[in-house]
Structures are given as C-alpha cells and as structure tokens.
Amino acid sequence: MRILPKHLLQAWVERLRVDHRVVAPRESHGQYIFDEITSADELVLDYHSSVLPPKKYFLPPREDLFTFNAKTMEMSPVIEEIQPTVIMALHTCDLHAIQLLDRIQGTGHVDQHYQARRRKTTLVSIECMEPCMAQAFCKSLGTLSVPEQFDVHLTDLGDRYAVDVGSDAGEALIRGMGFFWKPSDADYDRFNEVMAGKWPNFDYRLDCDVTDLPNLLGASHDSALWDEIGERCLSCGQCTKVCPTCYCFDVVDEIDLKLEKGKRVRVWDSCLLEKFAVVAGGHDFRNSRANRLRHRFMRKGKYQLEAYGLLGCVGCGRCALSCPAHITPIATLNTLNERRQASPGESA
C-alpha cells in the first residue's frame, strides 16, 4: 500500500495524461458519464453512478469490423489504432463486471477487438463508502469490495488516499512518481478504521443468500411472476443497454448507393427486444415478454455462473433506475423467494 495526499491527485492525473488517454466520470446534464477528460479538474470521484458503465471502452455501442467491395469481393479488416488508456474511479461493482467480461471474451472464440482494447487499458478503481443509489444491492452479491484482479485501487482516508496496487500495469502508473509515499502505522490504523466503518452503511437487499440464486431461479422457471411482470415490460431494452455485463450484439452490412463499397458493423443488441430470438424461417423461440424477461434473469443469476463461474449481475442497480416500468431485480428476486417459501416444492 502507498499513500497519495489528496492535493497531489490532480498532479498525478495530469502526469498520466502525458502518455495516456485518461477516461473518468464527469458531470453532464445532472448525470455522470465516463468520458475522456482534458483536464484533471473534470475528474469526479464522489459520483453516485454513471449512466452507462465503462464497458463501452471495450465493447463500443458501434464498431466497424471490416470493409468490403461487393463487386470484387475484396475485404479488408478495420484495425483500430488503440491509445494507451487509464480509466479512473471505477466502482467495485464495475470492476467485477469487467472481470466477468474478461473471462467471457477470453474463452472459446476469443474476441480480438475486445482483447486489443483491454490490453491497452489500466483501471483505477475507488472504494465505495456509501450506497450509490437506492436500487444498488452490491453487498448482497459480494461486489462491494475490490475483486482479486485489479490494477490500482483508491480508498479515501480523509485528507489522503490509500493506494493498493494489484498488477504490473498498475505499478507502472505510479513507478517513478514523486506523489506517493510509504504508509505509516497511523495510515494503516486509519485504513482499518475506514474499512470497518463502511460496512454498516450498506444493507443486504436480497432475502436469500447469493449462493442460492441459481437454485431459486431454477425452481422458479415456471413461476407465474414472469407473466405478471411481463405484462408491465415495454420490451424497450433499456435494462440491457445500461447493464455492465451484457454483451449481446448484432452484425449489419452497410453499403453505398452504387451497391459497391460497404462495411460490416457490430452494434449492441438486446435480448429483451421483440425480434431478438427470431431465426431463419421466422420461428421465435422467445416470443413473449415474459419469456424474454425470464431469460434475462436466468442469465444473470444462473446461466453465466454455470458457464463461467461468476454471476452475471453485480448489483449496480442501473437497470432498476432506468426501467420505465419499474421492474427491479431486488423486487423480482425477493418475490420469487417469498413465493418459494410459501409453497415449498412448487414453482414460485
């Protein structure tokens, strides 16, 4: 651990900007967004949550994959020039989300575009001292603390930050800098005091243990609740757009008016949209809003854990905040658990 005095934070950020693109939360129209900053003055560390998660820097909402000539059948891959990037002030829930994306995008058919961006990016996270919104349930999902894999992590000690380094990439961000010093016994005492004091600020929001979520969802596959909340769902896909772990995409070809030159583009997609599961021949194997909602919850609390060993939800609360129909993970999961307890052995 190192110590960074708060009055030197901006100097450190400005030094990083010399040879890195620095991305950080900044205020925009009363909300917070991750964006490239042109001055350390724009950096906001005590933000409640960002509208979109920082995954957009690894999985852009839209990206060109290759160009083609429809007449000559020539194709040329689009190789993006990637600048070394530092993303500042990530909450620990977003760190857990990126850990899952790293595992998914690095398994099986590896996504080279994701990997190229990820290799060029170093993450500087910050400890959350109080809930960022009413719908957050990170403590229930075990994402309130930094995961095992991290680069640099900051903890606010009042007039200084405790700086933990967890990787070689993180060490490179502070090596040779004169802004950091070794901690004293008083710094360690203050760190332990701060960490002990944060936990009472967070409540367990789920009525079941996180380890029971796969069993709960499996037992609730045929629950009437899916039809009930399906009646309210607008199939707008807003929940998936703000989710830090969603990665579904569509691929479209765009061609000029002469039908000669074009490009293949990857764009974000959503499993909640009406036509998402339509296949050749017109069959739709998730043709109701209830089925699509159930699939989303199953993926977050069961399927991805079974496939990758990590839950697909990190409890950030963005989906609940953005849903115009007020469908929330906390209410949905707690209702399923309540019905299971009321009728054990039957579908919730």
Side-chain angles (χ1 to χ4, degrees), residues 189-315:
D189 291 341
R190 176 58 179 159
F191 175 81
N192 292 330
E193 178 187 359
V194 166
M195 293 302 293
K198 75 167 252 183
W199 292 101
N201 297 331
F202 295 82
D203 295 325
Y204 286 105
R205 308 296 307 282
L206 296 184
D207 296 336
C208 66
D209 190 86
V210 63
T211 58
D212 191 39
L213 281 183
N215 293 329
L216 171 64
L217 289 167
S220 305
H221 183 275
D222 298 323
S223 172
L225 182 63
W226 305 121
D227 289 317
E228 295 169 22
I229 60 177
E231 286 297 315
R232 292 158 47 199
C233 178
L234 303 178
S235 290
C236 65
Q238 185 68 11
C239 54
T240 60
K241 298 301 182 187
V242 301
C243 178
T245 65
C246 281
Y247 55 91
C248 289
F249 62 87
D250 194 8
V251 174
V252 295
D253 288 345
E254 299 177 352
I255 195 166
D256 63 18
L257 293 176
K258 296 181 180 181
L259 302 182
E260 293 181 2
K261 297 179 180 180
K263 58 185 177 181
R264 179 158 293 178
V265 180
R266 176 164 64 176
V267 296
W268 284 359
D269 205 349
S270 170
C271 61
L272 270 295
L273 298 181
E274 184 179 3
K275 300 298 184 181
F276 180 84
V278 176
V279 296
H283 177 65
D284 187 349
F285 50 90
R286 285 196 292 274
N287 59 2
S288 72
R289 288 172 292 175
N291 286 346
R292 294 193 292 272
L293 267 173
R294 179 180 63 191
H295 175 74
R296 172 170 164 75
F297 274 88
M298 289 288 183
R299 279 188 63 82
K300 298 304 176 186
K302 179 175 170 63
Y303 298 158
Q304 287 181 319
L305 178 65
E306 294 170 346
Y308 301 107
L310 295 170
L311 279 174
C313 178
V314 295

